Amino acid sequence: MLSVAKVQKRNAWRYTRRVAFGDGRRPVGQSLKDAQEMAGLPPGRWLGRGLAALGLTGGAEVSERQLELLFGQGRHPDADRIERGLLDDGADQATARLTTVLGQPIEEIEARKQTPLLALDFTFRPQGP
């Protein structure tokens, strides 16, 4: 069976937190990494052909902050580092932030009264007996 879930701004962070924790719930205030270790889940890893274009390393561990930036804000997973470097080089705050946005800025989409679609999750599950 194939299920499809739309990952949108309103549900993105909740969605990724649930998926990253193995469809369970973690205690409030507990880091994702600690919760995964307690549940016996391996940490998420970056995979895919597009990683080099983003400057990410295949197999590297995905941090909770990277998930928040990517799915919660539609920004590069290393936006904090990139933005800091641009600011250090003299860029203004707005330009530095815009540089880290992947695709069209969420704010522009919302200004048109549209709902940004950040990702689609396709999950294949075998049929039960």
Side-chain angles (χ1 to χ4, degrees):
M1 182 164 125
L2 171 67
S3 65
V4 179
K6 290 181 181 179
V7 181
Q8 297 173 316
K9 185 178 176 184
R10 67 177 180 261
N11 71 348
W13 188 227
R14 183 178 65 239
Y15 167 81
T16 55
R17 288 179 70 170
R18 187 183 77 237
V19 170
F21 188 57
D23 292 333
R25 291 188 175 265
R26 66 178 167 154
V28 174
Q30 186 177 39
S31 75
L32 177 61
K33 186 174 181 128
D34 289 346
Q36 286 174 327
E37 286 177 9
M38 276 184 56
L41 298 169
R45 302 274 177 201
W46 290 110
L47 300 172
R49 294 183 299 191
L51 294 176
L54 292 173
L56 298 171
T57 304
E61 192 171 313
V62 179
S63 73
E64 186 168 0
R65 177 64 178 156
Q66 287 176 316
L67 282 177
E68 179 184 358
L69 287 164
L70 183 61
F71 288 108
Q73 300 178 25
R75 298 173 65 201
H76 190 287
D78 291 332
D80 294 334
R81 177 187 52 79
I82 295 167
E83 195 170 315
R84 208 171 26 257
L86 291 168
L87 292 170
D88 289 347
D89 290 343
D92 63 276
Q93 183 68 41
T95 301
R97 186 194 180 288
L98 189 58
T99 301
T100 65
V101 171
L102 298 176
Q104 191 173 33
I106 290 173
E107 297 84 2
E108 288 180 15
I109 298 168
E110 291 175 332
R112 294 191 309 266
K113 306 290 188 230
Q114 296 175 329
T115 303
L117 179 62
L118 301 173
L120 288 172
D121 172 38
F122 294 93
T123 305
F124 296 96
R125 292 191 172 102
Q127 292 279 338

